[in-house]
């Protein structure tokens, strides 16, 4: 297949790995998608395309601690469902920071930042409210702006998802004004959230996610001649769901945002998951971003072009000139002055207090901090796992002096579920390499699988993922490798493992701990991530 032929189709998912809650917007000839980042720093991933086929990670607008406070937020808390819109020369980004999600309560805060350029600088955050998550902004053609969000009701006997709340936003004053109202309470599917709105042919179309972000996820469409309502739900709702087809390759489909192209074609971005190839309903790659083509019925309702409610793995691309980006390098030698854009850090920004690319040029130095269980100051640098068959590798120079000192290669979902190939020291083994793991919060060290590394100046560490299996390996020279430990279950690093209610995805990266508080450091020479074809 030639490059020009390949451009005829959008292949889903378009953003693989942990890229949930996608919000797509067109600005002239440019398309942007904003996705959730939860407890990972920097906040909000924004991708760019000009043909809706090829996408490039472009920027993270929440890159400073004074914009985003994530210390202590629970796993799968933090940044939920960003909303990126554009009006009259200004980008508007709304986001929720969830700081508590235990029990019936949702402790959260909604903010708005603006910029004239997608690359910034972005304004200081404007605080909006704390009444519910999934805020979005609609710019009406009369110049007024409206905030919509789901409303959370914690009261006994009340539905938690209690409707879509709307209130006017005054941009000149930087605040919400006027009365608020619930404009839509959803359908019998329930769990009504993720509102978005656009106007077409005199109708206000209100799009919501329903059914929860699991197997009953759905896209619901309603419309009204007045923005205040009442809203009429589409006669054959939902527009999209996989709830009735548990074998479909794109499961949990929902959370849609509509976009019209320059040529009058319509598409939606939405999330979905792919379960493990072995058939287990586990999704370690997390919720991923997909795109579907939309057609309109004679009576003005949107439908999937394929004529069903099921998302397609391939859809016709819009009639736009193909626009390719340079491929992402598999190897990072840490020669750049700043951290690679594909890396994230956990809850804290990358700064010289714990991470340095300057103290030893050509190496990434991590100063050991708290344990892998911490919700505060971990020294971890990681990237999304994007493929069911892939490999990651690093080389570390590290001289631990006690069992408090650890560094190595980590496959991480959260503090409850991870696999860690780490170098450490104890009074009996000396310097050694072994595996620590946590499954469902139960910590274990695989003591029967230890490699003595005394005299190793450099420790090469590798992980290979093949469908549902994860295997670590070690080397003293980078050429001769030996597997260490048993084959491990990749499915553990999943939203849905053992009933977990998580929203992120598997990450792979490097980390260091000094649980004595002394800041003992490790130097990493490179990091590679590659798909196994």
């Amino acid at each position: 297949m030639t490059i020009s032929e390949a451009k005829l189709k959008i292949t889903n998912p378009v953003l693989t790995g942990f890229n949930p809650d996608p919000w797509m917007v067109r600005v002239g000839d440019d398309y942007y998608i904003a996705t959730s980042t939860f407890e990972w720093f920097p906040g909000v991933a924004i991708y760019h395309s000009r043909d809706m086929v090829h996408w490039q990670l472009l920027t993270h607008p929440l890159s400073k601690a004074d914009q985003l406070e994530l210390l202590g937020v629970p796993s799968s808390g933090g940044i939920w469902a960003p909303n990126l819109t554009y009006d009259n020369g200004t980008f508007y980004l709304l986001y929720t920071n969830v700081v508590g999600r235990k029990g019936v309560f949702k402790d959260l805060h909604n903010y708005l930042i603006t910029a004239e350029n997608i690359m910034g600088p972005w304004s200081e955050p404007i605080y909006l409210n704390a009444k519910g998550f999934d805020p979005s902004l609609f710019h009406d053609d009369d110049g007024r702006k409206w905030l919509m969000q789901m409303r959370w009701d914690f009261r006994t006997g009340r539905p938690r998802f209690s409707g879509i709340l709307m209130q006017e936003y005054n941009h000149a004053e930087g605040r919400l004004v006027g009365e608020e109202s619930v404009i839509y309470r959803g359908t019998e599917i329930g769990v009504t959230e993720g509102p978005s709105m656009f106007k077409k042919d005199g109708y206000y179309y209100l799009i919501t996610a329903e059914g929860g972000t699991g197997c009953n996820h759905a896209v619901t469409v309603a419309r009204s001649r007045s923005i205040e309502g009442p809203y009429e739900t589409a006669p054959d709702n939902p527009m999209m769901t996989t709830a009735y087809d548990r074998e479909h390759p794109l499961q949990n489909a929902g959370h849609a945002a509509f976009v019209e192209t320059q040529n009058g074609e319509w598409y939606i971005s939405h999330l979905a998951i792919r379960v493990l190839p072995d058939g287990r309903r586990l999704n370690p790659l997390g919720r991923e971003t997909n795109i579907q083509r939309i057609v309109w019925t004679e009576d003005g309702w949107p439908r999937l072009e394929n004529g069903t409610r099921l998302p397609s793995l391939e859809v016709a691309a819009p009639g736009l000139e193909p626009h390719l980006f340079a491929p992402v390098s598999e190897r990072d030698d840490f020669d750049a002055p700043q951290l690679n854009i594909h890396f994230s850090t956990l809850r804290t920004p990358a700064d010289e207090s714990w991470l340095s690319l300057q103290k030893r040029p050509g190496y990434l130095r991590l100063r050991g901090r708290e344990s892998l269980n911490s919700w505060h100051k971990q020294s971890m640098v990681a990237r999304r796992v994007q493929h069911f068959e892939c490999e990651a590798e690093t080389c570390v120079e590290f001289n631990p002096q006690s069992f408090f000192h650890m560094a190595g290669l980590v496959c991480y979902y959260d503090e409850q579920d991870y696999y860690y190939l780490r170098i450490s020291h104890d009074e009996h083994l000396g310097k050694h390499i072994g595996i620590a793991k946590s499954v469902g919060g139960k910590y274990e060290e695989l003591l029967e699988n230890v490699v003595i590394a005394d005299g190793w100046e450099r420790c090469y560490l590798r992980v290979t993922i093949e469908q549902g299996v994860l295997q670590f390996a070690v080397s003293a020279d980078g050429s001769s490798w030996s597997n260490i430990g048993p084959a491990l279950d990749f499915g553990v690093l999943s939203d849905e493992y053992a009933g977990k209610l998580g929203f992120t995805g598997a990450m792979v990266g490097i980390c260091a701990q000094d649980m004595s508080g002394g800041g003992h450091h490790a130097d990493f020479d490179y990091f590679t991530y590659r798909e196994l074809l």
Side-chain angles (χ1 to χ4, degrees):
M1 180 182 291
T2 67
I3 291 178
S4 61
E5 290 172 332
K7 301 315 135 230
L8 299 177
K9 296 288 185 181
I10 295 171
T11 301
N12 286 313
V14 294
L15 304 179
T16 58
F18 162 31
N19 278 294
D21 310 319
W23 189 284
M24 181 163 60
V25 62
R26 178 176 70 87
V27 180
D29 295 332
D30 295 291
Y31 294 82
Y32 302 101
I33 289 178
T35 66
S36 300
T37 45
F38 295 90
E39 65 265 35
W40 293 92
F41 214 102
V44 182
I46 295 181
Y47 295 82
H48 173 234
S49 177
R50 293 179 68 90
D51 58 12
M52 222 179 287
V53 176
H54 303 94
W55 293 87
Q56 178 188 52
L57 180 56
L58 182 66
T59 186
H60 296 91
L62 302 177
S63 59
K64 298 181 296 184
D66 57 2
Q67 292 175 306
L68 179 61
E69 177 57 70
L70 293 178
L71 283 178
V73 304
S75 295
S76 288
I79 298 299
W80 285 18
N83 166 245
L84 180 66
T85 58
Y86 182 84
D87 182 59
N88 196 28
T90 299
F91 288 94
Y92 296 78
L93 179 68
L94 281 78
Y95 58 95
T96 303
N97 187 6
V98 178
V99 299
R101 53 184 294 255
K102 185 177 182 180
V104 301
F105 299 104
K106 290 286 185 291
D107 294 307
L108 56 87
H109 306 281
N110 292 310
Y111 300 91
L112 167 66
I113 58 174
T114 61
E116 294 182 2
N117 188 300
I118 194 68
M119 299 301 293
W122 291 86
S123 70
E124 293 301 309
I126 297 170
Y127 188 82
L128 297 173
N129 64 29
K131 297 175 181 178
F133 47 85
D134 293 358
S136 68
L137 198 62
F138 172 65
H139 309 273
D140 209 344
D141 48 22
D142 62 1
R144 299 174 78 182
K145 302 181 187 301
W146 299 91
L147 176 76
M148 288 164 290
Q149 63 194 110
M150 66 77 64
R151 185 179 66 175
W152 183 261
D153 192 338
F154 56 83
R155 294 175 294 177
T156 299
R158 305 295 182 96
R160 299 285 180 256
F161 294 75
S162 63
I164 301 304
L165 191 67
M166 185 178 77
Q167 188 175 4
E168 187 173 0
Y169 174 73
N170 187 305
H171 179 54
E173 298 180 13
R175 65 185 183 94
L176 295 169
V177 297
E179 297 297 319
E180 62 185 27
S181 61
V182 174
I183 60 170
Y184 189 65
R185 295 191 181 275
T187 73
E188 67 280 358
I189 298 172
V191 195
T192 306
E193 58 185 338
S196 64
M197 184 176 283
F198 61 92
K199 196 172 184 180
K200 181 180 186 294
D201 301 330
Y203 280 105
Y204 293 90
Y205 286 87
L206 177 63
I207 315 301
T208 58
E210 292 198 293
T213 197
C215 62
N216 294 319
H217 210 193
V219 175
T220 286
V221 179
R223 71 183 184 186
S224 173
R225 290 289 186 183
S226 168
I227 194 168
E228 291 90 0
Y231 282 85
E232 170 196 10
T233 302
D236 57 351
N237 195 69
M239 189 192 80
M240 182 175 68
T241 187
T242 55
Y244 64 93
D245 187 346
R246 300 297 295 275
E247 302 304 317
H248 193 274
L250 297 175
Q251 287 288 304
N252 299 14
H255 201 102
F258 280 64
V259 165
E260 183 180 11
T261 73
Q262 306 93 303
N263 304 324
E265 302 166 281
W266 286 83
Y267 289 81
I268 60 169
S269 59
H270 69 93
L271 69 82
I273 68 165
R274 293 178 292 165
V275 301
L276 283 169
D278 61 20
R280 289 182 294 157
R281 194 178 173 82
L282 297 172
N283 61 312
L285 299 190
R287 298 176 300 159
E288 302 175 302
T289 292
N290 302 263
I291 293 175
Q292 304 297 326
R293 188 177 174 96
I294 297 297
V295 295
W296 292 86
T297 65
E298 290 184 1
D299 54 352
W301 292 104
R303 300 287 181 267
L304 296 181
E305 186 188 43
N306 64 24
T308 76
R309 290 187 173 92
L310 297 171
S312 296
L313 283 168
E314 285 192 341
V315 298
L320 303 173
E321 187 70 22
H323 186 86
L324 282 69
F325 298 101
V328 176
S329 175
E330 294 179 348
R331 181 177 171 116
D332 188 336
D333 284 301
F334 301 127
D335 293 327
Q338 294 181 327
L339 205 59
N340 187 310
I341 192 173
H342 294 277
F343 281 124
S344 296
T345 56
L346 198 52
R347 292 185 176 85
T348 59
D351 64 52
E352 285 287 326
S353 69
W354 66 275
L355 177 155
S356 179
L357 289 159
Q358 283 76 42
K359 288 183 178 177
R360 187 181 178 188
Y363 288 77
L364 175 61
R365 174 166 291 183
L366 295 183
R367 180 173 173 264
R369 296 193 295 174
E370 294 172 349
S371 76
L372 288 177
N373 275 34
S374 176
W375 284 0
H376 293 84
K377 295 182 178 181
Q378 286 204 44
S379 295
M380 183 187 296
V381 175
R383 55 153 296 154
R384 297 164 179 84
V385 178
Q386 295 181 275
H387 308 92
F388 285 117
E389 298 196 5
C390 60
E391 186 175 81
E393 181 184 313
T394 191
C395 174
V396 58
E397 296 183 15
F398 181 53
N399 292 302
Q401 302 301 306
S402 80
F403 67 91
F404 288 112
H405 301 160
M406 295 186 287
L409 181 66
V410 65
C411 296
Y412 185 90
Y413 182 89
D414 61 14
E415 79 285 351
Q416 298 288 305
D417 295 294
Y418 59 81
Y419 298 118
Y420 186 19
L421 179 62
R422 86 286 188 272
I423 308 157
S424 189
H425 182 283
D426 77 19
E427 57 272 31
H428 302 296
L429 298 173
K431 181 178 177 179
H432 64 280
I433 306 172
I435 298 170
K437 68 174 186 175
S438 180
V439 176
K442 181 181 178 181
Y443 177 79
E444 182 182 0
E445 297 173 3
L446 305 187
L447 299 178
E448 69 279 13
N449 298 276
V450 172
V451 172
I452 304 302
D454 276 330
W456 290 26
E457 180 181 352
R458 295 163 64 83
C459 298
Y460 294 82
L461 311 175
R462 176 187 290 173
V463 62
T464 302
I465 296 169
E466 293 182 323
Q467 300 191 16
V469 176
L470 183 153
Q471 179 67 61
F472 285 120
V474 299
S475 173
D477 58 12
S479 298
S480 178
W481 291 85
S482 301
N483 286 346
I484 179 172
L488 300 167
D489 183 4
F490 183 41
V492 166
L493 309 180
S494 171
D495 290 349
E496 300 185 359
Y497 179 77
K500 177 192 291 287
L501 184 61
F503 306 123
T504 56
M507 304 283 281
V508 61
I510 52 182
C511 61
Q513 296 81 33
D514 183 349
M515 288 171 289
S516 73
H520 197 70
H521 72 262
D523 289 340
F524 294 85
D525 187 16
Y526 65 85
F527 183 88
T528 63
Y529 173 90
R530 65 184 182 94
E531 181 182 7
L532 297 175
L533 300 176

